[in-house]
Amino acid sequence: MTRNCCGDGLDVAENLRKIRERIREACAACGRDESEVTLMAVTKTVPPERVNKALDAGVRLLGENRVQECCEKYQSYHCTAEQIHLIGHLQTNKIRSIIDKVSMIESVDSLHLAKELDEALKKRDMEMDILLQVNIGMEPRKSGFAPEETEAAAVLARELPHVRVRGLMTIPPVETVPHGNLVYFEKMHRLYVDINGKIYDNKLEYISMGMSGDFADAIRAGSNMVRVGTAIFGARDYTK
């Protein structure tokens, strides 16, 4: 039987210890230092008290999927907006609700969204770090820039005065075989390196890719930010 993420049998601190060990092993396997990789705890459907257990155990970054859920839980977290990123799809009519509750929006998946975000930030005299979301697997139902469109999008987004492009993010197709996403991670890393060198003078900082089931492969392919939810909090109950 699958246990809900809120079950008492799940030890968040122990899960985090195991994840950090896997991060160390993945980094060692490719000659990287574990300090290069940021661990994000993805909090979708997880109640604030369990999220706070992760924060108390040393997690320094949360990933929120839904604007409404983030707004509802925000005041209960043992952290500030500086430690929260939005990683889920952002509708333009919800921009104003979220920009004071996160320090980065990783899911900027269109130039229209980037421009609307820039305009909303201008009205509040704010700036916001963003990542451009790439649909690296070219899945028709998934958001993001097509790989061949990403360079042009990065050029145009760089000109927006109130958003700061800090890197790229992707969610690859669901794995059907072990290490099945490695090809997508490698393709994504090549795209990141190319755009970073050609457009941003190698000043981009983040390539966000890899989740609970595949973050070790993502790290080996160059990821420096992994988004882990189930492996920390347990299986989610999406019926609630």
Side-chain angles (χ1 to χ4, degrees):
M1 180 181 295
T2 299
R3 292 183 293 183
N4 179 267
C5 68
C6 304
D8 293 335
L10 290 171
D11 186 335
V12 170
E14 176 62 15
N15 289 345
L16 283 167
R17 186 194 66 78
K18 293 176 180 178
I19 291 164
R20 291 180 178 121
E21 179 60 30
R22 289 176 62 194
I23 290 174
R24 280 193 290 271
E25 291 173 353
C27 287
C30 58
R32 299 176 63 189
D33 191 290
E34 63 185 282
S35 64
E36 297 177 23
V37 179
T38 298
L39 171 62
M40 171 190 292
V42 178
T43 63
K44 185 177 181 180
T45 77
V46 182
E49 56 269 25
R50 279 190 73 73
V51 176
N52 287 333
K53 287 184 179 181
L55 290 166
D56 295 343
V59 165
R60 294 291 175 262
L61 184 62
L62 305 180
E64 291 284 339
N65 289 84
R66 299 166 174 163
V67 171
Q68 183 175 342
E69 184 179 352
C70 180
C71 292
E72 291 171 352
K73 299 193 295 188
Y74 178 74
Q75 294 296 334
S76 300
Y77 285 160
H78 295 171
C79 70
T80 67
E82 289 299 312
Q83 292 175 258
I84 305 174
H85 290 185
L86 183 71
I87 62 174
H89 180 66
L90 177 59
Q91 297 174 316
T92 56
N93 64 347
K94 294 184 179 180
I95 288 174
R96 290 182 295 175
S97 300
I98 197 66
I99 55 177
D100 61 342
K101 297 176 179 66
V102 299
S103 61
M104 181 183 288
I105 296 175
E106 295 197 14
S107 48
V108 175
D109 55 11
S110 70
L111 285 173
H112 174 67
L113 175 59
K115 291 174 181 177
E116 290 291 314
L117 177 60
D118 184 71
E119 187 63 28
L121 291 164
K122 177 182 177 181
K123 291 177 180 178
R124 293 201 193 179
D125 193 25
M126 294 175 62
E127 294 183 347
M128 175 71 69
D129 290 341
I130 68 168
L131 302 184
L132 301 179
Q133 181 173 344
V134 182
N135 185 357
I136 198 66
M138 295 294 292
E139 297 176 273
R141 295 186 179 181
K142 192 168 285 182
S143 301
F145 296 98
E148 66 271 16
E149 299 171 345
T150 306
E151 181 177 328
V155 170
L156 293 172
R158 187 179 186 180
E159 301 306 312
L160 297 174
H162 297 276
V163 299
R164 298 183 297 252
V165 179
R166 303 289 299 279
L168 306 180
M169 183 270 265
T170 197
I171 304 170
V174 175
E175 280 188 303
T176 57
V177 295
H179 311 293
N181 280 338
L182 189 56
V183 63
Y184 295 111
F185 293 144
E186 291 172 341
K187 181 178 179 180
M188 185 71 183
H189 187 256
R190 290 193 296 270
L191 181 65
Y192 170 79
V193 170
D194 187 51
I195 289 174
N196 200 7
K198 290 169 64 175
I199 302 170
Y200 287 93
D201 301 319
N202 292 312
K203 293 179 181 178
L204 294 181
E205 297 181 52
Y206 300 111
I207 175 169
S208 176
M209 58 185 188
M211 297 185 285
S212 290
D214 57 16
F215 69 80
D217 280 341
I219 290 170
R220 293 186 183 101
S223 176
N224 58 22
M225 183 182 292
V226 294
R227 309 179 304 271
V228 181
T230 299
I232 297 174
F233 299 111
R236 316 302 179 90
D237 183 354
Y238 293 119
T239 65
K240 295 187 176 181

